[in-house]
Amino acid sequence: MKRNVLNDKFKLSSKQEQQIRSEIKAFYFDVRGEEIGIIEEQQILDLFYEHMAPIIYNKALDDAQHWCQQQAENLQLDYYLLYCDIR
């Protein structure tokens, strides 16, 4: 099953996974007025793992790369500011 591969990559703890399952259950109850069971919770969580988690993960990597590039540029500018003005 694909979820096992993704779960290995994203490595949520059982506590984190339970928190997400609780949020899913609360969402369904608050928004739709429906109580869902363990199977439905797991199916929705699997949907997130398979389809949404990779998109969010990749976006986070892109954001981190952008931040690192900005920090490197700032460091390079700061380095050149250290030079003495020679006339």
Side-chain angles (χ1 to χ4, degrees):
M1 187 177 191
K2 197 170 185 179
R3 180 184 181 278
N4 293 335
V5 173
L6 292 172
N7 196 19
D8 289 343
K9 183 166 187 112
F10 299 119
K11 297 276 186 196
L12 292 178
S13 69
S14 59
K15 183 179 178 180
Q16 290 169 322
E17 190 167 310
Q18 184 56 45
Q19 182 180 356
I20 292 170
R21 289 169 67 116
S22 294
E23 291 293 331
I24 290 169
K25 188 172 189 141
F27 171 81
Y28 263 80
F29 186 76
D30 293 344
V31 173
R32 301 185 64 164
E34 299 175 18
E35 288 203 27
I36 60 173
I38 296 170
I39 294 172
E40 291 85 359
E41 288 174 21
Q42 190 62 51
Q43 289 172 334
I44 293 168
L45 186 57
D46 289 344
L47 172 76
F48 283 113
Y49 272 125
E50 188 173 341
H51 296 286
M52 293 172 219
I55 294 167
I56 294 167
Y57 178 82
N58 289 341
K59 174 66 170 125
L61 287 178
D62 290 343
D63 290 349
Q65 181 183 33
H66 178 72
W67 181 85
C68 287
Q69 286 173 342
Q70 282 186 316
Q71 296 306 310
E73 289 173 14
N74 291 342
L75 182 61
Q76 187 175 20
L77 290 173
D78 290 344
Y79 174 79
Y80 286 113
L81 290 174
L82 295 173
Y83 276 86
C84 294
D85 187 22
I86 302 173
R87 294 180 193 194

